[in-house]
Amino acid sequence: RLLSLLIKPEKIIMLKMIAKLLKVLNSETDPMQISLALGFAMVAGLTPVGSLHNLLILFLVLFLRVNLVTFVLGFGFFSGIAFLLDPIFHLIGREILTWSSLNGFWTTLYNTTFWKLEKGYNTIVAGSLLISLIFFFPVVIFSRISINKYRDHILKWVQKTRLLKLLKANKLYQVYQSLSGVGGGS
């Protein structure tokens, strides 16, 4: 409560999000579950929320049991970036939707109920979906490699520091550990 008096509420929310992200990174969660969550969050966050493919993304997130905290945080992050990238998505979408060689293909898709529900005829939907699908696998692979490197080097180094050893020896930390389930506490 004292912390909320000293720090603005939006900064407290950001600090809590960073703490949750660090908790996920430091946990024993499979790096692939975290990486897939980030990839799916990128697709869902960069594309308009009302698009039909986001329902498929949500199903995959729940079916594949990816890390939900990472998905929610990533979705918020990429949704914020999407507003900045919308003009670029519009240009890319307009370009691919107006290619004369694809007119027949787009006309066929437009006449399907799925494509109308997907709103694939919208330049921002088309551009953002194309870009997010192109970057899906690179984001998943890069984040998995980064998580492994973080855990192998930075996390192991932090765990060996005297400061962390002193904090872990503290009774308050032990109570926190037992209540939060961090580090094998019940």
Side-chain angles (χ1 to χ4, degrees):
R1 209 172 267 198
L2 179 61
L3 186 63
S4 64
L5 295 174
L6 299 174
I7 302 174
K8 294 181 181 179
E10 59 273 5
K11 289 187 179 183
I12 291 175
I13 292 170
M14 182 176 274
L15 288 173
K16 285 182 180 180
M17 284 191 225
I18 291 170
K20 285 182 181 183
L21 181 62
L22 286 173
K23 186 175 180 180
V24 168
L25 288 175
N26 297 340
S27 72
E28 294 180 11
T29 304
D30 181 12
M32 195 60 181
Q33 287 181 318
I34 300 169
S35 301
L36 275 175
L38 197 58
F40 288 137
M42 181 197 60
V43 175
L46 289 182
T47 59
V49 175
S51 301
L52 193 58
H53 66 270
N54 281 339
L55 194 58
L56 175 65
I57 295 290
L58 184 60
F59 173 75
L60 288 172
V61 164
L62 297 174
F63 180 75
L64 297 175
R65 297 183 59 178
V66 301
N67 188 276
L68 290 176
V69 170
T70 304
F71 178 78
V72 171
L73 292 175
F75 177 77
F77 174 76
F78 286 112
S79 294
I81 290 176
F83 287 109
L84 300 173
L85 298 176
D86 275 351
I88 296 168
F89 294 152
H90 168 70
L91 292 173
I92 293 169
R94 185 180 68 195
E95 188 65 31
I96 63 171
L97 290 174
T98 57
W99 281 343
S100 58
S101 60
L102 293 176
N103 278 347
F105 175 71
W106 295 129
T107 302
T108 303
L109 280 179
Y110 182 75
N111 289 323
T112 64
T113 304
F114 173 79
W115 198 249
K116 288 178 183 175
L117 290 173
E118 171 63 18
K119 298 180 181 129
Y121 52 83
N122 181 301
T123 57
I124 293 177
V125 172
S128 62
L129 184 58
L130 176 67
I131 295 300
S132 63
L133 290 177
I134 288 171
F135 283 101
F136 177 79
F137 286 110
V139 164
V140 170
I141 292 167
F142 177 75
S143 60
R144 183 170 185 220
I145 291 169
S146 298
I147 292 165
N148 285 332
K149 295 251 185 231
Y150 167 80
R151 288 181 177 176
D152 288 343
H153 301 290
I154 298 171
L155 182 60
K156 285 183 181 177
W157 176 78
V158 168
Q159 289 175 337
K160 291 178 184 177
T161 63
R162 284 186 171 190
L163 179 62
L164 190 63
K165 288 179 182 177
L166 287 172
L167 285 174
K168 283 186 173 184
N170 186 332
K171 183 69 176 168
L172 182 62
Y173 179 82
Q174 291 171 359
V175 169
Y176 162 75
Q177 190 176 23
S178 67
L179 293 175
S180 68
V182 175
S186 53

